[in-house]
């Protein structure tokens, strides 16, 4: 079950335990599920609490592992992010994260471009690593759609592919999507 414990002591100890498990020299850490679950309603209090967690994690990580980049998987549109209590534009602006990975998982190149434009309106390209669905429950775009999405993401910090099940042998219908 999801939880971000209230109170600095418990939160700080849990964060420190995570950071202590990161070997020296690791180039970066990505956090996922830093949001309210889909069956919970977001609120200003939960958004503040999650932002406090990100800020605290960032500060502790930077002290313990200087030079280690921090990123977070986020919902791409302002409305979707707000509904999950993710104030990720603030996290970027405040420098708490080095970049975000908006989960723009769609088969539609037009929807990908629209959501990417919304991301780019609130964060610089240097702070965006666009998440592209390669073979996921959410979307399984064909080869041409993946290529078009990669072209649309040109100029960003980078891209990440989600759910590369096909690469691990759990094929989902179009094994040549990345050829």
């Amino acid at each position: 079950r999801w939880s971000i414990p209230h109170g600095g002591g418990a939160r700080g100890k849990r964060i420190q335990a995570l950071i202590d498990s990161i070997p020296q020299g690791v180039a970066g850490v990505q956090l996922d599920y830093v949001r309210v679950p889909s069956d919970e309603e977001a609120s200003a209090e939960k958004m503040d609490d999650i932002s406090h967690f990100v800020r605290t994690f960032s500060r502790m990580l930077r002290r313990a592992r200087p030079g280690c980049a921090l990123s977070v998987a986020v919902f791409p549109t302002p409305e979707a992010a707000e509904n999950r209590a993710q104030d990720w534009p603030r996290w970027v602006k405040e420098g708490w994260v080095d970049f975000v990975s908006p989960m723009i998982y769609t088969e539609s190149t037009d929807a990908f471009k629209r959501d990417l434009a919304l991301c780019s309106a609130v964060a610089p390209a240097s702070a965006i690593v666009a998440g592209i669905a390669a073979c996921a429950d959410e979307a399984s775009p064909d080869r041409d759609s993946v290529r078009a999405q990669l072209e649309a993401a040109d100029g960003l910090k980078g891209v990440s592919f989600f759910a590369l099940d096909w690469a691990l042998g759990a094929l989902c219908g179009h094994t040549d999507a990345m050829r």
Side-chain angles (χ1 to χ4, degrees):
R1 185 75 182 139
W2 172 90
S3 71
I4 292 183
H6 292 277
R11 178 187 311 219
K13 288 177 184 175
R14 289 182 181 186
I15 292 172
Q16 192 62 56
L18 284 172
I19 291 171
D20 287 346
S21 71
I22 301 167
Q24 290 288 343
V26 166
V29 172
Q30 168 133 342
L31 302 177
D32 197 358
Y33 287 92
V34 180
R35 59 186 183 251
V36 296
S38 57
D39 62 348
E40 286 189 27
E41 286 198 34
S43 66
E45 179 183 2
K46 288 178 183 177
M47 187 175 288
D48 287 344
D49 199 35
I50 290 170
S51 290
H52 184 263
F53 169 82
V54 171
R55 184 184 71 219
T56 301
F57 193 98
S58 175
R59 289 179 177 170
M60 293 175 77
L61 177 67
R62 294 179 197 300
R63 272 195 302 271
R65 302 290 184 269
C68 184
L70 178 61
S71 64
V72 180
V74 298
F75 280 79
T77 67
E79 181 181 353
E82 186 174 313
N83 288 339
R84 301 310 284 277
Q86 290 184 319
D87 192 3
W88 66 260
R90 178 181 177 201
W91 306 344
V92 171
K93 181 181 175 188
E94 297 289 341
W96 300 339
V97 299
D98 297 287
F99 61 92
V100 292
S101 294
M103 300 176 289
I104 313 175
Y105 307 149
T106 179
E107 295 173 2
S108 165
T109 300
D110 289 338
F112 182 87
K113 289 178 179 178
R114 180 199 64 228
D115 288 355
L116 185 56
L118 291 169
C119 295
S120 298
V122 295
S126 61
I128 300 173
V129 172
I132 296 176
C135 182
D137 291 339
E138 296 88 340
S140 293
D142 63 24
R143 175 181 46 222
D144 292 336
S145 294
V146 170
R147 286 184 177 153
Q149 291 177 16
L150 285 167
E151 288 175 17
D154 187 42
L156 299 179
K157 183 171 185 69
V159 298
S160 64
F161 292 104
F162 177 70
L164 292 175
D165 292 350
W166 58 268
L168 302 174
L171 306 177
C172 66
H174 57 276
T175 59
D176 66 342
M178 301 311 296
R179 290 187 193 152

